[in-house]
Amino acid sequence: MVLVQASRINLPTPPSKTPASLLFEPHSFSLALLHSDSSLSLFPSISFPVPSHKKSLTIPSPSSSSIFLLQKTQLNPNPRVLFIVGGPYKGGSKVLLRFFLFRNDDSKVFEKAKVVVSNQKGIEFDDKVGVLIDVSHGLKVMIAGSVNFFAFYSASSSKVWIFGVKLVGNDEGDDGVVFKLMKCAVIDCTKPVFSMSVSSECLVLGEENGVRVWNLRELVKGKKIRRVKYSGLSNGVIGDSDGFGGGGSSSSGIVCNGYLNEKIEKHCVSVKQRSGKYRQESAEEGACFVAFEQKEVKGLKSTKVPFMSMKAISIQPLSPKKFLILNSIGDLSVLHVLNTAVGSNITCHMRQLPHVLKVQKLAVLPDISSRRQTVWISDGHHTVHMMDITSAVNENDERESDEKLLRISVSQAIFSSEKIQDMIPMAANSIMILGRGNLLFILSKVFYRSEMLLEIKN
């Protein structure tokens, strides 16, 4: 028996603004609501029940894509939380990126972040509005990120930009903190991208009939280096040149446009700042295309053809090397990246999960420390299912094996009186659901679990 407790959340938002989707950041416990007029309400450090006097930061429209990004350094293990918003500028002739920093002090508020931009073609900084990218906004842009790096995709230009966010100056507090935005790589796309995901190891692009996986460290690694004095750097940067190495052991040794991880050499910088250029379908090292499972056509046993065109519409990380993929016909697959060593060809495999329902909404709480992870799926109507995925695959095992199993535990189903617009996990046993403009906070407490156990070979 599973006892589920639900409570309605009343957020102090203007009555004329109806929430359309939501984002949640667990480190700062911050919530972002995208409204139907494409404006945003940003609630820092929320608690439940939400106090009526709780103030939010209003980010005016238009906003077309947004993410929470963690910025880490090796000197400060506590991550800084940045909220990044993308949208059109001057009629869509350019793309505007706005940055907001969560102040982890007594104030617990978001404020406009101080950002500088290196001298790179196609990018400029306007102190009044934000960072401008010289590309047409078009009908669709996407932003995806994790720690220190984020990817930006423009459908009109058919390009993916990978940016690094580095702390400039002292690392003692939020006062006077400046972040430097650096373009690390550009991917020219010949095929449309329907979804993206960025982990500390990989960039995954959702395409038609599969996903394309890039080694993030290969994309952002630097070029030539030379030794300089610690003070008075030739590129004008002041303070520790500790690079982007704060994202964990997976990012140690990354060199990005002139900044070395201090584990390698604290007093080295690049002679020139140059971003790598790549082609989407190139056979370069560090990238591979992984297709969805194919169906055999009767009478043609030796030939496998796609049953129908499927688009990868949602990519949710389970861990830095494991991702849950939702395709356009409602099926789920698990992608496992086996090899991400710099200078090596990336190797991956993907398996489709057993059919539980035609999935329309997917929410995952990544947990690197556990092999058992909670996944929430919905048919997009009135039902939410909670599943536990247990993997026997070792994250550091680079050998492919067909004998390793994924266990899928369907532990409970929750029925909502309102049609589900969006949902996002807040903890291993709780999820926030948006239904017809109202938020529901659902807390599940398991006293006795009766499960349907499914196994697939991975």
Side-chain angles (χ1 to χ4, degrees):
M1 179 180 178
V2 180
L3 178 62
V4 178
Q5 179 182 349
S7 59
R8 189 176 300 273
I9 301 174
N10 296 314
L11 291 173
T13 56
S16 60
K17 294 182 180 293
T18 303
S21 63
L22 52 90
L23 291 172
F24 180 74
E25 201 290 304
H27 290 275
S28 61
F29 225 66
S30 298
L31 176 67
L33 296 182
L34 175 65
H35 302 291
S36 54
D37 64 350
S38 79
S39 65
L40 285 155
S41 293
L42 193 54
F43 294 88
S45 190
I46 62 174
S47 59
F48 300 98
V50 179
S52 59
H53 59 82
K54 185 68 176 180
K55 293 183 179 180
S56 64
L57 173 66
T58 300
I59 301 174
S61 63
S63 303
S64 51
S65 185
S66 57
I67 60 164
F68 286 103
L69 180 78
L70 299 183
Q71 201 285 330
K72 290 184 179 181
T73 65
Q74 293 184 7
L75 298 179
N76 186 359
N78 297 319
R80 286 182 169 85
V81 176
L82 283 169
F83 186 65
I84 306 175
V85 183
Y89 184 71
K90 287 191 175 180
S93 60
K94 293 185 179 182
V95 173
L96 170 64
L97 297 179
R98 290 173 284 178
F99 295 78
F100 302 89
L101 171 66
F102 173 73
R103 292 182 59 88
N104 192 20
D105 52 20
D106 293 337
S107 63
K108 302 291 182 183
V109 296
F110 275 94
E111 64 181 15
K112 187 178 178 181
K114 300 174 184 177
V115 179
V116 294
V117 179
S118 58
N119 185 21
Q120 298 186 62
K121 183 179 179 180
I123 306 175
E124 61 179 302
F125 176 72
D126 187 320
D127 186 55
K128 295 181 180 179
V129 291
V131 176
L132 298 174
I133 301 178
D134 191 14
V135 62
S136 173
H137 182 279
L139 296 176
K140 180 180 181 180
V141 297
M142 288 188 297
I143 306 176
S146 57
V147 179
N148 293 343
F149 295 96
F150 70 94
F152 166 79
Y153 170 70
S154 167
S156 63
S157 66
S158 299
K159 293 181 185 293
V160 174
W161 286 265
I162 293 89
F163 292 97
V165 179
K166 179 186 182 292
L167 178 67
V168 179
N170 69 71
D171 200 26
E172 296 178 357
D174 291 334
D175 290 335
V177 166
V178 179
F179 298 96
K180 187 165 188 176
L181 180 68
M182 308 185 67
K183 182 176 68 174
C184 298
V186 179
I187 302 173
D188 289 320
C189 301
T190 56
K191 294 183 177 181
V193 175
F194 302 100
S195 57
M196 291 193 308
S197 183
V198 179
S199 73
S200 59
E201 299 275 351
C202 308
L203 165 68
V204 185
L205 305 180
E207 300 181 11
E208 190 171 19
N209 292 322
V211 296
R212 196 172 304 272
V213 185
W214 294 80
N215 189 324
L216 185 63
R217 289 181 288 177
E218 287 284 354
L219 286 173
V220 303
K221 69 180 182 180
K223 306 296 182 181
K224 298 177 182 179
I225 61 173
R226 68 178 175 86
R227 296 175 184 269
V228 297
K229 294 181 180 179
Y230 180 67
S231 59
L233 302 182
S234 60
N235 55 12
V237 176
I238 302 173
D240 258 352
S241 56
D242 60 345
F244 297 99
S249 60
S250 62
S251 59
S252 62
I254 293 179
V255 186
C256 178
N257 289 326
Y259 295 98
L260 282 175
N261 188 310
E262 64 181 356
K263 288 184 177 179
I264 300 176
E265 175 58 59
K266 188 174 182 179
H267 300 242
C268 287
V269 297
S270 173
V271 176
K272 294 182 180 180
Q273 296 182 356
R274 289 183 294 178
S275 58
K277 295 183 178 181
Y278 305 87
R279 297 186 307 275
Q280 184 180 18
E281 295 184 275
S282 67
E284 297 177 73
E285 292 184 353
C288 70
F289 181 78
V290 190
F292 293 124
E293 286 188 336
Q294 298 175 337
K295 306 289 184 179
E296 289 189 6
V297 178
K298 293 183 179 179
L300 299 173
K301 294 184 178 180
S302 61
T303 304
K304 291 186 176 182
V305 297
F307 178 70
M308 64 179 298
S309 176
M310 297 177 291
K311 302 176 180 66
I313 60 174
S314 180
I315 306 171
Q316 299 291 331
L318 294 167
S319 71
K321 294 184 180 181
K322 194 160 53 181
F323 301 83
L324 194 60
I325 316 294
L326 171 63
N327 65 33
S328 53
I329 65 172
D331 294 334
L332 295 173
S333 300
V334 172
L335 170 72
H336 187 212
V337 183
L338 297 173
N339 184 16
T340 57
V342 174
S344 302
N345 288 325
I346 197 166
T347 53
C348 315
H349 63 82
M350 182 161 55
R351 292 293 183 268
Q352 184 175 307
L353 296 182
H355 295 274
V356 178
L357 76 161
K358 288 300 180 181
V359 180
Q360 296 297 319
K361 304 291 183 181
L362 172 65
V364 177
L365 183 71
D367 187 356
I368 302 174
S369 62
S370 175
R371 290 186 179 179
R372 184 168 186 164
Q373 291 167 293
T374 302
V375 175
W376 305 81
I377 59 176
S378 173
D379 58 2
H381 296 289
H382 299 271
T383 307
V384 178
H385 291 263
M386 179 180 176
M387 301 193 309
D388 290 329
I389 296 182
T390 305
S391 175
V393 178
N394 187 343
E395 282 290 316
N396 298 317
D397 191 351
E398 298 179 354
R399 297 171 300 173
E400 292 190 34
S401 173
D402 291 332
E403 299 301 322
K404 294 174 180 177
L405 297 177
L406 286 177
R407 292 177 176 264
I408 320 307
S409 306
V410 184
S411 58
Q412 60 181 282
I414 300 170
F415 298 93
S416 171
S417 60
E418 297 181 353
K419 189 173 181 179
I420 297 167
Q421 294 190 60
D422 201 4
M423 59 185 191
I424 194 164
M426 304 186 69
N429 66 340
S430 61
I431 186 170
M432 186 178 290
I433 295 176
L434 176 64
R436 291 185 180 178
N438 295 312
L439 287 175
L440 290 177
F441 176 74
I442 296 182
L443 175 64
S444 61
K445 299 180 180 179
V446 180
F447 292 95
Y448 174 78
R449 176 170 290 174
S450 177
E451 299 175 348
M452 177 176 65
L453 188 63
L454 307 173
E455 293 185 359
I456 67 167
K457 289 190 174 181
N458 194 25

